[in-house]
Amino acid sequence: MFSNSSRVVYSSVMPEIDHKTIFEFGLSGEVLMENAGRGCVRVLTENINHLREKKILVVCGPGNNGGDGFVIARYLAKKTADLKIVLLYSSKKLQGDALLNYERAKKINIPIIEETRQFTEKLKNEVKNSDIIIDAIFGTGLRSAPEGLFGETIDFINNSKKYIMAIDIPSGTNGDTGETLGRSVNADLCATFGFAKPAHYIEPGRKNRGTLFVIDIGIPHTVSDEFEENINILTKEYVKTILKKRDANSHKGSFGHLGIIAGSKNKAGAAILCSKSAHRSGAGLVTLCSPCDSFSVSGFEETMRFPVSSDNGEFFENSVDEVREFIKDKTAIAAGPGMGTGKGAQKIIEFLIKNSNIPLLIDADGLNIISEKRELLDYLDKRIILTPHPKEMSRLTNIPTEEILNDQIKSAREFALKYKCILVLKTSSSIIAFPDGKIKINTSGNPGLAAGGSGDILSGIAGAFLANKMSIENAAEAAVFIHGYSADITSLQKGPFGYLPSETADNIPIVFKELLENDH
């Protein structure tokens, strides 16, 4: 009944999948709606104790989401004695399977409150007197802000502080982007059909949906596979398949040599954090290249140093020649954290992009240099990972930050396709975009990561994986998930926020222990 697929499908594509299932495969819309409603009731039954004692209100809108609500009410009628439906639309305008299931609900005498005079007051009272409210108003079909009675109803539901279950997607959330369209139901539980939608994993949609269940309603894979959009979530199970146990005969040379080009006057911490997380992530050797007088070696004794010419603590213009020597024996490079954006740093980033031929991760100041020297974008390729946060992404693309956040998948995908690199858009649900158009949405992490230095930790993790000759694609995926998962462990230990990025780095080995303790 419940799907374990990691696949994500745009909500705007689901009607096409449903249509093909109905008209070419021959599975009727009536059966799909029946499967959906029955599955929702199973979800509710398995998550709510003493359901029979609860007062349940099913709030139905005008389309198929409302039709799902009528089916849900019919199954719930066997499980609770206090059940009502509120219909926010004239029943005379209902059509198709929604109308069919409305009539079925009436036939078994479920009380249905329809729009009449003083309807708003009745609605308020029903919401107030309920224990559980089921949101079957819009689902994924909404494309504009809910207004009038629909908007008021969402406000009533949210203000009620009752237990809320959303059907398919919280009404008022854009299913493709996660954006709130003016206002959205804030659910405790969400049951969606066939496949998860982007909004289930991208904020604020992820926050609005509560606990998510994906219900298999019978869509055949031969149909759904025709609509492959190459969007998947990153899960613990998937990352387990990427990681490999280490052979007993391993030595430090077995796991690569990461070169880190980072740090400058007043920005030593970024280099230290990046180096530390690279060690914690299993790099065999780590060497830090930084201006010779930028900071002391204390605090990261395991890291070898390669000091280069300095201009008052910044990379000197001629230090690019030293960097050329530095990278010769390295298996991967991570560059940018705290390195500044002066002329020396600019020349180094330009050299790395144009002339190095080993896997390269660029973050932080390295990204800012690219945004200032935009001609470098044309030299990016599939050996390069960029890891911008939204403001850095805005500088790289000249697209406003708000616009990037409003459609994160589109922003990341278009960049990776255009410049043929791997892009990690660092948000609360980081998006990884690949040069072939594939997308991965991360599912680990928490708000405690919103602290300076967290990005440096991610750079070190990814750099270590690249140095260890993991594929560039897998290195990006594993690094993003493990970074977030380590933060989740730290949050459980320390609290929801206020823990240090270095503490997240310290917990990386615990993540490896958990992911590798069983054979896979």
Side-chain angles (χ1 to χ4, degrees):
M1 175 63 75
F2 301 132
S3 171
N4 62 0
S5 172
S6 67
R7 183 177 167 190
V8 175
V9 172
Y10 278 120
S11 60
S12 53
V13 172
M14 281 306 300
E16 298 178 51
I17 295 176
D18 290 343
H19 185 274
K20 196 172 185 70
T21 300
I22 294 165
F23 292 100
E24 294 189 25
F25 189 78
L27 193 62
S28 72
E30 177 187 351
V31 169
L32 294 177
M33 190 171 285
E34 191 77 10
N35 291 345
R38 184 172 60 246
C40 287
V41 173
R42 178 177 170 184
V43 168
L44 193 62
T45 302
E46 293 182 0
N47 284 273
I48 299 294
N49 295 324
H50 310 297
L51 189 63
R52 186 167 295 280
E53 301 167 14
K54 307 297 184 184
K55 297 177 180 178
I56 302 177
L57 183 68
V58 184
V59 184
C60 295
N64 282 342
N65 201 241
D68 296 330
F70 297 133
V71 177
I72 290 166
R74 202 173 77 243
Y75 281 96
L76 282 175
K78 303 173 185 177
K79 298 180 179 294
T80 181
D82 199 331
L83 170 71
K84 292 179 183 176
I85 295 173
V86 170
L87 179 57
L88 304 178
Y89 193 74
S90 172
S91 59
K92 296 177 182 178
K93 297 180 181 179
L94 292 173
Q95 298 177 4
D97 297 321
L99 175 60
L100 175 67
N101 283 295
Y102 163 80
E103 291 172 342
R104 287 173 174 170
K106 284 193 73 173
K107 284 179 181 178
I108 61 172
N109 299 317
I110 297 175
I112 302 177
I113 302 165
E114 298 191 34
E115 188 176 3
T116 60
R117 277 186 183 179
Q118 299 169 343
F119 178 77
T120 302
E121 286 304 313
K122 287 183 180 179
L123 174 62
K124 277 185 179 179
N125 288 332
E126 294 300 338
V127 168
K128 181 180 178 181
N129 293 327
S130 298
D131 299 309
I132 298 171
I133 300 169
I134 296 177
D135 161 31
I137 304 172
F138 291 124
T140 60
L142 190 66
R143 291 292 177 268
S144 58
E147 296 179 348
L149 176 62
F150 297 111
E152 286 184 286
T153 302
I154 290 173
D155 289 340
F156 295 156
I157 291 172
N158 287 338
N159 293 333
S160 71
K161 307 301 181 186
K162 302 301 174 67
Y163 190 91
I164 301 167
M165 179 181 186
I167 307 307
D168 215 4
I169 204 162
S171 293
T173 295
N174 184 312
D176 286 349
T177 67
E179 179 186 8
T180 295
L181 300 169
R183 61 190 108 183
S184 173
V185 167
N186 298 319
D188 299 285
L189 183 70
C190 179
T192 195
F193 310 129
F195 303 94
K197 317 305 183 293
H200 291 129
Y201 295 105
I202 298 174
E203 298 291 0
R206 183 171 71 167
K207 176 187 67 177
N208 293 341
R209 52 91 163 166
T211 304
L212 177 68
F213 289 85
V214 182
I215 298 172
D216 180 355
I217 60 173
I219 295 170
H221 69 85
T222 53
V223 171
S224 61
D225 286 353
E226 294 183 31
F227 297 86
E228 178 60 62
E229 294 166 287
N230 287 322
I231 305 175
N232 286 272
I233 56 170
L234 278 176
T235 63
K236 184 195 300 186
E237 291 69 29
Y238 175 74
V239 175
K240 279 184 177 183
T241 69
I242 295 174
L243 299 179
K244 300 290 185 285
K245 289 186 176 181
R246 296 193 165 186
D247 191 279
N249 293 323
S250 300
H251 54 84
K252 62 186 178 183
S254 304
F255 305 112
H257 190 169
L258 175 64
I260 296 176
I261 303 173
S264 60
K265 185 178 181 180
N266 300 324
K267 292 183 178 180
I272 294 170
L273 289 172
C274 186
S275 301
K276 181 176 188 177
S277 64
H279 287 294
R280 290 295 192 193
S281 301
L285 295 165
V286 179
T287 302
L288 172 63
C289 172
S290 56
C292 61
D293 59 349
S294 58
F295 49 89
S296 72
V297 298
S298 63
F300 53 116
E301 290 79 4
E302 298 85 357
T303 305
M304 295 180 286
R305 290 290 311 278
F306 189 98
V308 296
S309 301
S310 174
D311 180 10
N312 192 29
E314 304 287 333
F315 283 96
F316 188 59
E317 285 190 62
N318 290 338
S319 57
V320 69
D321 295 325
E322 297 165 280
V323 168
R324 183 179 284 106
E325 289 299 312
F326 170 69
I327 70 171
K328 282 184 176 179
D329 63 342
K330 307 303 182 296
T331 50
I333 296 293
M339 72 180 298
T341 58
K343 289 184 178 180
Q346 289 180 20
K347 284 193 172 185
I348 290 170
I349 292 297
E350 181 174 0
F351 164 75
L352 292 172
I353 292 173
K354 290 183 176 180
N355 301 110
S356 64
N357 57 6
I358 55 177
L360 170 64
L361 179 140
I362 301 177
D363 185 32
D365 284 337
L367 299 172
N368 293 329
I369 288 169
I370 296 172
S371 66
E372 293 173 9
K373 298 174 69 67
R374 298 183 57 78
E375 66 274 12
L376 293 178
L377 290 168
D378 295 326
Y379 291 89
L380 299 177
D381 57 48
K382 62 183 180 181
R383 72 191 163 85
I384 296 175
I385 301 174
L386 302 187
T387 57
H389 57 58
K391 285 187 178 180
E392 290 167 339
M393 185 70 173
S394 177
R395 291 192 285 268
L396 286 170
T397 60
N398 285 331
I399 297 172
T401 303
E402 184 178 357
E403 188 175 331
I404 289 167
L405 288 172
N406 283 345
D407 199 338
Q408 296 171 36
I409 290 177
K410 178 184 176 184
S411 299
R413 176 180 265 164
E414 287 183 349
F415 189 97
L417 283 170
K418 182 175 181 179
Y419 297 112
K420 304 302 180 186
C421 66
I422 295 175
L423 184 107
V424 178
L425 178 57
K426 296 184 295 192
T427 64
S428 53
S429 305
S430 291
I431 308 293
I432 309 174
F434 300 94
D436 60 0
K438 290 181 181 178
I439 294 288
K440 291 288 176 70
I441 305 174
N442 190 37
T443 58
S444 64
N446 59 77
L449 282 171
S454 289
D456 306 319
I457 300 298
L458 176 62
S459 294
I461 300 171
F465 292 161
L466 291 173
N468 194 16
K469 297 186 179 179
M470 188 180 285
S471 76
I472 297 175
E473 294 82 2
N474 285 167
E477 294 167 337
V480 169
F481 182 85
I482 288 170
H483 181 224
Y485 200 72
S486 183
D488 290 337
I489 291 173
T490 311
S491 178
L492 289 172
Q493 295 170 342
K494 303 284 185 177
F497 56 88
Y499 55 85
L500 302 176
S502 59
E503 293 173 312
T504 297
D506 287 337
N507 277 330
I508 293 169
I510 298 174
V511 178
F512 291 140
K513 181 177 184 294
E514 181 175 333
L515 296 182
L516 292 170
E517 61 185 5
N518 297 315
D519 289 328
H520 50 262

